[in-house]
Amino acid sequence: MIGDDVDRVLTKLQQLVAVPSVVGYEGPLMRHLARELHTAGLDVTSTEGGVVGNGARGGRVVISAHADRHGLICTAPGTFTYAAHVLPAIRGVANSHRHAFAETVCTRFGDEEVRAYDPRTGNTVADGRVDHMAVCGIDDLGIEVPVKGLDAILTATPVAFQGKVVQEGQHVQAQLDNVLGVAMALVLVEGGFDGTVVFTAEEEIGASWRYLNHELLRHVQAPDTLIVLDTSPFDDTEAVDVGAVVLRWRDETARFSVPTVSRLIQISQSHDIPVVVKDRLIERLNEERRFNGRDELPLGRTELGRLVRGTAEFVNGATLQVPTTMYHTNAETTSVTAIANAMRVLRDATD
């Protein structure tokens, strides 16, 4: 079963990365996901902020995954801005831009093939490539990324990184955040999951929790079980190679459900699956950094943390994350073992 799960997740991954879903312009992928959930037999509702599928246990057991990915937006003829930064600026939301981060973005996507697409249909308008020889810039709207070959496209056109999945031995590379979580949820549904699945938009700008909350409030009471799927970045490959699942007791904004997190830990231990508790790991690293006079690492913010804080803890749950390296790139990497272990825990937790 678990081996079959991995094969199905990888097949879904191939299909999903081919559909563009730049943050703020997720329409083509959301329509694809609505069809998938409908085919699987769920009652499907499309909303402004995502797609919801409800089965017989709708509202009681909820799985969520954000479906947006990083990309660019054409903000003027020949000018392309990192979407996760330009959208808050356009909407009047406070956002800070650092030159160091601009360099990071260009390093992440230098020389990557991209495609401008029609946000209504998902059809490709033109192909281009990030110019790794040019320098990223920062203006009032955010981080400008130099792109060759798209001079003729219209302002406000989204530009996605070309979708590709590469498997080398036990490692899987793609723009995994968070199409991997979406693929896992779809495989769970096709295997008979009859709760609620919520695919949200705009997580990369911190807005997705509002869409998730809107769906949960339709059921009046908080779910018995809420699990939010995502990837989790690491600087080295240890967690990836051992196939760890990544859990949290908290993030920067909120503490998570003790019963739900405890259950995920128990399930993992029952299968001898390694567990990394990310907030505890960061706290240990920060003890060393304080001792050495270095700046502390942030605990990080999650969709679930924003939801818990935004609902004054009325809604709570747990994150279930797959460890990756090369975070937020087109070569974000995890392992077959990590995917298999996350699916095993997810299945047991939602039975």
Side-chain angles (χ1 to χ4, degrees):
M1 171 67 79
I2 295 302
D4 292 342
D5 272 351
V6 172
D7 290 340
R8 285 194 284 267
V9 169
L10 294 179
T11 297
K12 289 291 183 189
L13 198 59
Q14 290 277 8
Q15 297 167 355
L16 296 175
V17 298
V19 185
S21 189
V22 171
V23 56
Y25 297 83
E26 303 93 341
L29 181 57
M30 290 300 185
R31 286 187 286 275
H32 176 92
L33 296 176
R35 291 191 295 270
E36 291 259 10
L37 293 177
H38 178 76
T39 300
L42 297 188
D43 181 16
V44 180
T45 303
S46 295
T47 68
E48 177 187 357
V51 173
V52 181
N54 279 296
R57 291 188 295 166
R60 308 311 309 149
V61 181
V62 179
I63 303 300
S64 178
H66 74 87
D68 55 312
R69 304 200 292 274
H70 280 298
L72 311 173
I73 299 173
C74 179
T75 50
T79 301
F80 304 92
T81 307
Y82 200 53
H85 279 212
V86 69
L87 285 177
I90 290 174
R91 295 176 183 179
V93 178
N95 197 9
S96 61
H97 311 295
R98 297 173 300 171
H99 287 276
F101 186 73
E103 294 174 1
T104 299
V105 169
C106 279
T107 300
R108 286 173 174 172
F109 296 111
D111 212 34
E112 284 286 353
E113 295 179 348
V114 296
R115 57 167 166 158
Y117 67 95
D118 185 324
R120 297 163 298 178
T121 65
N123 293 337
T124 298
V125 176
D127 294 313
R129 183 182 295 272
V130 176
D131 186 357
H132 72 285
M133 297 299 292
V135 178
C136 283
I138 298 179
D139 63 13
D140 291 339
L141 285 179
I143 300 170
E144 290 185 10
V145 179
V147 178
K148 297 185 293 186
L150 299 183
D151 293 340
I153 71 167
L154 299 176
T155 298
T157 300
V159 178
F161 298 100
Q162 291 284 10
K164 58 183 179 181
V165 178
V166 177
Q167 185 172 355
E168 297 180 350
Q170 290 296 302
H171 289 135
V172 179
Q173 294 182 352
Q175 193 179 8
L176 296 176
D177 181 27
N178 180 38
V179 71
L180 177 57
V182 173
M184 290 169 56
L186 288 175
V187 169
L188 189 73
V189 168
E190 291 179 353
F193 175 69
D194 62 351
T196 294
V197 176
V198 184
F199 295 127
T200 56
E202 299 187 354
E203 190 272 348
E204 299 297 356
I205 61 170
S208 60
W209 74 269
R210 294 184 176 89
Y211 307 131
L212 177 55
N213 184 45
H214 177 76
E215 169 56 26
L216 297 177
L217 289 179
R218 290 180 58 247
H219 297 281
V220 182
Q221 56 187 346
D224 296 328
T225 301
L226 168 63
I227 298 175
V228 181
L229 304 175
D230 210 338
T231 62
S232 182
F234 287 81
D235 292 333
D236 59 53
T237 64
E238 181 179 357
V240 169
D241 291 340
V242 301
V245 296
V246 183
L247 306 175
R248 281 178 172 270
W249 291 111
R250 59 167 300 180
D251 69 358
E252 285 185 19
T253 55
R255 297 183 182 277
F256 299 161
S257 167
V258 171
T260 308
V261 177
S262 297
R263 174 160 167 70
L264 296 183
I265 291 174
Q266 291 168 357
I267 292 170
S268 302
Q269 291 174 339
S270 72
H271 294 295
D272 294 323
I273 295 172
V275 175
V276 175
V277 180
K278 194 66 175 285
D279 53 299
R280 297 284 173 83
L281 171 62
I282 294 172
E283 288 167 357
R284 289 197 300 271
L285 293 174
N286 281 338
E287 288 180 4
E288 298 176 7
R289 295 174 76 91
R290 284 193 296 270
F291 180 80
N292 294 315
R294 301 173 63 190
D295 292 338
E296 293 186 18
L297 300 170
L299 281 180
R301 298 180 182 181
T302 66
E303 182 176 39
L304 178 60
R306 294 184 179 101
L307 177 66
V308 175
R309 182 183 63 179
T311 62
E313 300 185 3
F314 176 71
V315 177
N316 211 328
T319 57
L320 174 59
Q321 299 177 322
V322 179
T324 66
T325 59
M326 301 290 289
Y327 190 54
H328 281 170
T329 73
N330 225 13
E332 187 173 4
T333 303
T334 191
S335 67
V336 170
T337 304
I339 296 172
N341 286 341
M343 282 301 303
R344 186 186 296 273
V345 173
L346 182 61
R347 280 198 180 279
D348 284 6
T350 55
D351 279 346

